[in-house]
Amino acid sequence: MLGGLALSALVAPGAKAATLLKPLAVDAWTQTPGAPVLDHPYGLPSPHESNVVRRTARAWPMPGAASSLTPLADLHGALTPNGLVYERHHAGVPDIDPDRHQLVMHGLVREPKRFTMDDLLRLPSESRVHFLECSGNTASEWKGPSGLPVQLTHGLLSCCEWTGVRLSTVIEAAGGLVAGDEGKRPRWLLAEGADAAAMTRSLPLDRVLDLALVVYAQNGERLRPENGYPLRLLVPGFEGNTNVKWLRRLKVVDAPLETREETSKYTGLLPDGRARQFVFEMDAKSVITRPSPGHSLTVHGYYPIVGLAWSGRGTIRQVEVSTDGGRTWQTAQLDGPARDRALTRFHAGWVWNGEPAAILSRATDSTGYVQPTREALVQARGLNSYYHYNGIQQWRIGADGSVKNA
Amino acid sequence: MLGGLALSALVAPGAKAATLLKPLAVDAWTQTPGAPVLDHPYGLPSPHESNVVRRTARAWPMPGAASSLTPLADLHGALTPNGLVYERHHAGVPDIDPDRHQLVMHGLVREPKRFTMDDLLRLPSESRVHFLECSGNTASEWKGPSGLPVQLTHGLLSCCEWTGVRLSTVIEAAGGLVAGDEGKRPRWLLAEGADAAAMTRSLPLDRVLDLALVVYAQNGERLRPENGYPLRLLVPGFEGNTNVKWLRRLKVVDAPLETREETSKYTGLLPDGRARQFVFEMDAKSVITRPSPGHSLTVHGYYPIVGLAWSGRGTIRQVEVSTDGGRTWQTAQLDGPARDRALTRFHAGWVWNGEPAAILSRATDSTGYVQPTREALVQARGLNSYYHYNGIQQWRIGADGSVKNA
């Protein structure tokens, strides 16, 4: 039983016992041996899934700037396969020789060091599952429903198991922090990439010291080129651009460096003209991925409503789902154990009776923060903001079973 | 500090502060914008990782029979990326049209049903991380060290997040089990594949009802062709071949059907001539993946010893590591939360002083079962056994830093 319904009532009309008197067809693929194993030493998805690919939502005016988005509507579970992890590049994807690549750890450390990849692999490591989200994700919805499908509204979002060395271990391997007036002047960390943009960010060291990883592997294998091969920074819960890819340099400093990427970009313009700068954590957010625009409801009856929830400040405590535009809510089931700063899959049962509906989800995280409506966000931050949009997302179901972002 | 060692002492000689007076080289990849994003709508590993592929260990005498093994020595964390999940086929890899594929649920159920893939996607689903291991994994070591590297000794082993419908839900959607004399005659489940081998196994229903999943997705995306696209059975902890791929039929019966795959294969011949049949759970096992044969130790000093442990009967409670051939043991650290019937990564610190050494690992699972030595296994099961080898694995380190299975 699920939501008071016998599951046997949930299967499409026509699937009756009588049809079983006719045996299943023996298809061509059962009559002839299939492809041999040596065709694919590194495997790829079925050709029948060729529509499940990353897509670009926009052209960027700057050379080398680009992005591509994860096809959330066609994914399952909490993890993103490496081939579909979203991308955001400031100067394209460099082809780095791992035998030449080095990481420098310097600044206010006792014994500044260079690490080869082999050196890093000989340090203690750990693996953790965390999401990554671009701070510009869902910016399309600031001014109201964009009409776009979930891949293009929310697809600057992925979740992987990351393996690497804890930032605090790398600093310890460089002799530890130089003793100083930390009490008065908090330390910051400069992270620099080896791409042609030399992507550079400043991070508050005390907030990332035990959380951040210097990462060389993703979902079990070495990083993909477009995700930072051979080395990247991973700062769980922080906006994507701070997770510097192709990492070549970490420097401990005593103040943020006001780099190009934290002055010309990645700030939020408030209605009164002030800017929100150094807003790092991604706020709690959720979205229904199935059904979502592009899907269609083909029969009247039971549908699971499934989606993803996440928070840059901890775990997901609760997800609520509404099918009547937010008038009433039901608590969704969460899949698996609560994971810190990771995507969490939610499920809720729904019987579609064929009438128009409006489905939406609302996340609450372990700090008690509740995902806001778009109206509340606009009231707080105005309409000049671009980054850190986390409003409740609604999809409209038509009487014809269509699903629209309207 | 790790194992009483200052990490700053662990980095290779030469990585001194003085070398930092010379700035890092600005390599070609930093001087020129990299590749654009549209080159790879579905991404692939770096060309520098082209050696990290599945490999075959043997040629099979039967047409269509084949296997390939996961490159464990080069992987990290607990998950196996889909492109590297091991394979074992009895008649090659079929190319199945998902729009035509159906699953029949029949036998001792009240309302036998056919399910299209769309029907299955409209049933409640869940995602869980579980390992898969071929029952023939590590058979190479029954008669003593084979000399093979870990990919070829232990690589019929992978671990993924699987998404699908619980077996009990599929049975419920077919009206539930026919009432009968269950108390006297336990139910069995026949699972049949749509490949040209029509791979078929019988499973004890009461042991798998709430554990098994009818799976359509793996690590977030739809199953790969070689892993059962579009549908497979997943029986956590059970030997790999029972996790029937390309699943087309489930039939509830009142006795095992003694199929070809459970009489001519997948039994164990004991010294007294009796056969162990229907041995399903994979026993607790572990192996060191780094360092392992093919790696070499390049400096005297600290090395992390990392590996994998798993049990088909529950979680991993403890892993112990020895570096002196099993005379003394230290308890390894386990990575992340204990996961039921999933690979668990373990870590132990070791300082290599340049002398020959013998490194090995030993797992204990949540039932209290301890991984046995090869000698104990041979004593219990003789040397005519092929399947279910789970002996402690030793690698020998030479004074030259070489690592051998000897």
Side-chain angles (χ1 to χ4, degrees), chain A residues 1 20 22 25 27 30 34-35 40-41 43 49 54 76 83 87 91 93 100 112 114 121 172 194 220 224 229 248 335, chain B residues 1 20 22 25 27 30 34-35 40-41 43 49 54 76 83 87 91 93 100 112 114 172 194 220 224 229 248 290:
Chain A
M1 300 291 285
L20 286 176
K22 186 160 59 86
D27 285 297
T30 305
H40 38 72
E49 300 296 319
R54 299 186 284 216
H76 306 268
E87 304 168 85
V93 179
R100 283 174 56 194
R114 286 190 196 197
L121 278 159
E172 199 185 333
R224 293 294 177 84
Y229 183 87
R248 77 196 290 262
D335 214 13
Chain B
M1 299 291 285
L20 286 175
K22 185 161 61 84
D27 285 297
T30 306
H40 36 72
E49 300 296 320
R54 297 186 285 216
H76 306 269
E87 301 168 88
V93 179
R100 283 174 55 194
R114 288 190 194 197
E172 200 185 333
R224 293 294 178 85
Y229 184 87
R248 76 196 290 264
R290 187 158 49 88

Side-chain angles (χ1 to χ4, degrees), chain B residues 118-139:
Chain B
D118 277 350
D119 292 336
L120 292 167
L121 278 159
R122 286 193 297 103
L123 289 175
S125 65
E126 60 189 275
S127 302
R128 290 194 245 125
V129 174
H130 290 299
F131 77 85
L132 265 187
E133 184 182 17
C134 179
S135 57
N137 197 28
T138 325

Side-chain angles (χ1 to χ4, degrees), chain A residues 1-2 7-8 10-12 15-17 19-20 22-25 27 29-30 32-35 37-38 40-46 48-49 52-54 56 66-68 75-79 81 83-84 87 89 91-98 100 102 104 111-115 119 121-127 161 163 169 172-173 175 194-196 216-217 219-222 224-226 229 248 290 299 302-304 335 339 347, chain B residues 1-2 7-8 10-12 15-17 19-20 22-25 27 29-30 32-35 37-38 40-46 48-49 52-54 56 66-68 75-79 81 83-84 87 89 91-98 100 102 104 111-115 119 121-127 161 163 169 172-173 175 194-196 216-217 219-222 224-226 229 248 290 299 302-304 335 339 347:
Chain A
M1 300 291 285
L2 188 106
L7 284 175
S8 58
L10 306 181
V11 176
K16 293 288 178 205
T19 66
L20 286 176
K22 186 160 59 86
L24 270 180
D27 285 297
W29 50 74
T30 305
T32 314
V37 83
L38 285 176
H40 38 72
Y42 194 97
L44 284 172
S46 163
H48 299 287
E49 300 296 319
V52 184
V53 291
R54 299 186 284 216
T56 54
S67 60
S68 77
L75 298 189
H76 306 268
L79 297 169
L84 296 174
E87 304 168 85
H89 311 307
V93 179
D95 174 20
I96 297 182
D97 180 349
R100 283 174 56 194
Q102 298 194 340
V104 170
E111 301 170 30
K113 284 226 166 81
R114 286 190 196 197
F115 300 88
D119 292 336
L121 278 159
R122 287 196 294 102
L123 289 176
S125 64
E126 61 188 274
S127 301
E161 182 194 68
T163 301
T169 302
E172 199 185 333
D195 60 332
Y216 46 75
N219 288 335
E221 65 189 350
R222 293 297 184 95
R224 293 294 177 84
E226 64 271 28
Y229 183 87
R248 77 196 290 262
R290 186 157 51 87
V299 297
Y302 179 86
Y303 283 87
D335 214 13
R339 281 197 283 219
H347 304 259
Chain B
M1 299 291 285
L2 188 106
L7 286 174
S8 59
L10 306 181
V11 177
K16 293 291 179 202
T19 65
L20 286 175
K22 185 161 61 84
L24 271 179
D27 285 297
W29 51 74
T30 306
T32 314
V37 83
L38 286 175
H40 36 72
Y42 194 95
L44 284 171
S46 164
H48 300 287
E49 300 296 320
V52 184
V53 290
R54 297 186 285 216
T56 54
S67 59
S68 78
L75 297 189
H76 306 269
L79 298 168
L84 297 173
E87 301 168 88
H89 311 307
V93 179
D95 174 21
I96 297 182
D97 180 349
R100 283 174 55 194
Q102 297 193 341
V104 170
E111 301 168 31
K113 284 224 164 84
R114 288 190 194 197
F115 300 87
D119 292 336
L121 278 159
R122 286 193 297 103
L123 289 175
S125 65
E126 60 189 275
S127 302
E161 182 195 66
T163 301
T169 301
E172 200 185 333
D195 60 332
Y216 47 75
N219 288 336
E221 64 190 350
R222 292 295 184 95
R224 293 294 178 85
E226 63 272 28
Y229 184 87
R248 76 196 290 264
R290 187 158 49 88
V299 298
Y302 179 87
Y303 284 87
D335 215 13
R339 280 196 285 218
H347 304 259

